[in-house]
Amino acid sequence: MFLMGCSSTKGLYETFYVGNDGIQYFIQPLTFTGDADSDEELKIDITCKHKTVIKDSSIVNISLIGAKYFKTVDSIIINTDSCSVVLKDLNIMFSERDGDNFISRFTARSSLFGIKQIFNKSDWAFGVYAQNRSFKYITPKSTKKKIEALNYSIFMLF
């Protein structure tokens, strides 16, 4: 069982020992898709630290990829059927053109407790609120499996 857990999470995260602060985890980008009529994607990566108790915040980076160019984002809500995490005060890291698409990357902080809670469920729905509009992103089957593996390997330990 241990070997199966290790192999299913290979490449999904990296760990770093940070001395008295415990272990830092970097969750590799997870991909979410826009509605069926678009090629829009949202990618999220998360950096968090944990030692013995949850007392720190997490850094959450979001990349919005598609035909829409995002200069600013007011807020992002990550919903599961049992909880929500709201990201506010998003700061733009960069925007660039990639062929016909744009990549707009933002960063924010969130409580580690909230991040742990959303990993209890694998079906996430994102609401991105920007430029007086809302945009929805859902969890593809391949990402659901990654969320389940990450919860099993990391977040159940918190």
Side-chain angles (χ1 to χ4, degrees), residues 64 70-76 89-90 106 128-131:
L64 301 169
F70 292 89
K71 291 181 182 180
T72 61
V73 171
D74 299 320
S75 63
I76 296 175
D89 301 321
L90 288 114
F106 297 87
V128 175
Y129 301 92
Q131 301 161 197

Side-chain angles (χ1 to χ4, degrees), residues 51-104:
K51 188 172 182 178
T52 54
V53 295
I54 295 177
K55 63 178 183 177
D56 205 355
S57 62
S58 300
I59 298 170
V60 180
N61 298 316
I62 303 276
S63 296
L64 301 169
I65 304 163
K68 297 175 190 74
Y69 172 56
F70 292 89
K71 291 181 182 180
T72 61
V73 171
D74 299 320
S75 63
I76 296 175
I77 299 175
I78 309 167
N79 288 306
T80 70
D81 64 0
S82 62
C83 69
S84 297
V85 169
V86 178
L87 302 174
K88 292 185 177 184
D89 301 321
L90 288 114
N91 295 307
I92 191 157
M93 296 171 73
F94 68 86
S95 288
E96 66 185 16
R97 187 178 275 284
D98 183 21
D100 291 337
N101 288 324
F102 294 97
I103 301 171
S104 300

